[in-house]
Amino acid sequence: MDPAAGHSLLLADHTTIHLGGPAKNLVWAQDAAELVDVVSRADADGTPVLVLGGGSNLVVADAGFDGLVVQVAHRGVAFEQAGQQMVMHAAAGAIWDDVVTSSLARGLAGLECLSGIPGLAGATPIQNVGAYGTEISQLVTSVPVFDRVERRHVTLSGVDCQFGYRTSALKGASRYLVLGVDIALTPSETSQPVRYQQLADALGVELGGRAAALDVRAAVLGLRAAKGMLIDPGDPDSVSVGSFFTNPILPDAEVPAGAPQWPTTDGLVKTSAAWLIEQAGFVRGFGDGRVGLSNKHTLALVNRGGATTAELVAFAVHIRDGVRSRFGVTLDVEPALVGVAL
Ligand SMILES: Cc1cc2nc3c(=O)[nH]c(=O)nc-3n(C[C@H](O)[C@H](O)[C@H](O)COP(=O)(O)OP(=O)(O)OC[C@H]3O[C@@H](n4cnc5c(N)ncnc54)[C@H](O)[C@@H]3O)c2cc1C
């Protein structure tokens, strides 16, 4: 499939926030070999490359991208017994939520809390996707990649990936082309321990308790829908990139009084970006232009229709600066920015 076959070059048509100007060229790589081949040829002749998954964590400039956009399109999952566990090999172009449902349908627990996250499997290790107490790093055994610097296939271990909160060695670095992700799952119809209070409450279990994995998925989808965090053409609050800012991780002394606090393993404290935004005066639904805060969640910046990336960036700067002047805390941006900066 390519633009000649009727596919839009406009990146707004390929991003969940519906923003971004035209790509100079856009191709769909139907398998891993084609992905490597197309990107290698572009690298060899010095053409800039943007790898596109589901476009759900991407903010692209109104000017678009003056190079080659490669959409990762190879799908499929395979399973391999590994001792007591089952390793699932997901192709980079597999739709993430299909990966989750196929694991649950096979009676494998582990991914239930990551239900409903938009995008493709190949992007999940890049920012170490997480939700409701699970991060993909807890389950990843390896990540097959193509190293664009050394021009060879490599299998990265979890340690190589240097996973952190919404980050990894792969984020912001164009060196590695992710070809798939290998995930260790537990044969069980019962979920992993529920580690998120709101989810435990929704399920009626104690924190650390378990429920049927399919019930956990249903509860997660319900919570996500209530927050506009499920892509839904009928929900204008889902025209976003999800959370626009990450939760700040600060030395104890710098956490604003009254803010939620979650100690990290390295002696720092994670606090809530949503709380900081709200307390700085930006409530849900804030903004009177074509860009605003979601009516359901202060962390999501929403294209209300017809917006430009310039408007989104100006709005994001306004929010970030408001939080900084109120609390002295600078919020970091979560999505990948292409051709723009805050
Ligand atoms: C409504 C909504 C809710 C969300 N909820 C969550 C959430 O709960 N938790 C969470 O962690 N995230 C969440 N996100 C963010 C996003 O869905 C995830 O980060 C997702 O993994 C991005 O996948 P993608 O395929 O859309 O990546 P894209 O947006 O297409 O790409 C993101 C970055 O990864 C790069 N990339 C993508 N694929 C590859 C590849 N194969 N090889 C190399 N580089 C690649 C791109 O170049 C880009 O830099 C949410 C987003 C939305 C819109």
Side-chain angles (χ1 to χ4, degrees):
M1 290 191 274
D2 58 32
H7 290 275
S8 169
L9 283 175
L10 202 59
L11 290 165
D13 293 332
H14 301 283
T15 54
T16 54
I17 196 163
H18 301 322
L19 294 175
K24 189 171 180 187
N25 199 357
L26 188 147
V27 297
W28 293 52
Q30 300 294 350
D31 57 38
E34 189 179 359
L35 181 61
V36 169
D37 181 52
V38 164
V39 172
S40 298
R41 280 192 279 121
D43 286 347
D45 67 18
T47 303
V49 173
L50 171 63
V51 182
L52 177 68
S56 64
N57 211 25
L58 211 47
V59 175
V60 182
D62 296 310
F65 186 71
D66 189 19
L68 175 69
V69 175
V70 186
Q71 169 102 57
V72 183
H74 60 293
R75 299 199 173 161
V77 295
F79 296 89
E80 186 187 350
Q81 190 78 42
Q84 298 295 309
Q85 291 195 307
M86 189 74 92
V87 173
M88 177 165 60
H89 306 284
I95 292 171
W96 175 249
D97 202 46
D98 291 351
V99 173
V100 175
T101 52
S102 51
S103 69
L104 294 173
R106 213 177 154 110
L108 299 171
L111 296 180
E112 53 276 4
C113 289
L114 300 180
S115 294
I117 297 179
L120 307 184
T124 57
I126 291 176
Q127 76 147 355
N128 182 19
V129 296
Y132 297 99
T134 300
E135 289 183 337
I136 193 69
S137 56
Q138 295 159 347
L139 302 157
V140 166
T141 56
S142 53
V143 181
V145 299
F146 180 73
D147 181 338
R148 292 167 62 187
V149 174
E150 298 200 355
R151 296 180 180 223
R152 63 189 181 103
H153 288 261
V154 184
T155 299
L156 301 178
S157 67
V159 173
D160 295 332
C161 290
Q162 298 173 40
F163 289 119
Y165 162 64
R166 290 304 169 276
T167 192
S168 77
L170 306 167
K171 189 167 180 176
S174 52
R175 175 168 182 172
Y176 297 113
L177 205 48
V178 177
L179 304 178
V181 57
D182 303 328
I183 301 164
L185 300 168
T186 306
S188 174
E189 304 282 342
T190 304
S191 75
Q192 294 298 294
V194 176
R195 302 185 193 92
Y196 198 90
Q197 188 66 57
Q198 193 182 30
L199 178 61
D201 293 345
L203 287 160
V205 300
E206 295 292 316
L207 208 57
R210 298 173 193 254
L214 285 172
D215 289 349
V216 173
R217 171 176 169 78
V220 166
L221 292 179
L223 290 169
R224 294 186 71 91
K227 296 177 187 176
M229 287 291 176
L230 270 188
I231 297 291
D232 174 358
D235 181 0
D237 283 321
S238 72
V239 185
S240 76
V241 289
S243 299
F244 197 89
F245 298 105
T246 53
N247 287 326
I249 296 178
L250 304 168
D252 194 21
E254 291 177 20
V255 179
Q261 304 197 11
W262 302 283
T264 65
T265 48
D266 46 8
L268 297 171
V269 176
K270 190 198 280 184
T271 188
S272 161
W275 186 91
L276 295 172
I277 291 170
E278 273 164 29
Q279 297 299 313
F282 306 116
V283 294
R284 291 177 194 178
F286 173 81
D288 52 13
R290 297 187 291 190
V291 171
L293 295 184
S294 159
N295 292 298
K296 302 189 181 79
H297 201 309
T298 41
L299 262 188
L301 274 55
V302 169
N303 174 2
R304 293 174 171 163
T308 63
T309 305
E311 288 167 1
L312 176 82
V313 169
F315 186 77
V317 166
H318 182 57
I319 301 288
R320 183 199 60 189
D321 290 355
V323 168
R324 186 157 54 197
S325 69
R326 172 80 174 79
F327 294 111
V329 175
T330 302
L331 297 177
D332 288 330
V333 171
E334 186 188 291
L337 304 180
V338 177
V340 289
L342 249 64

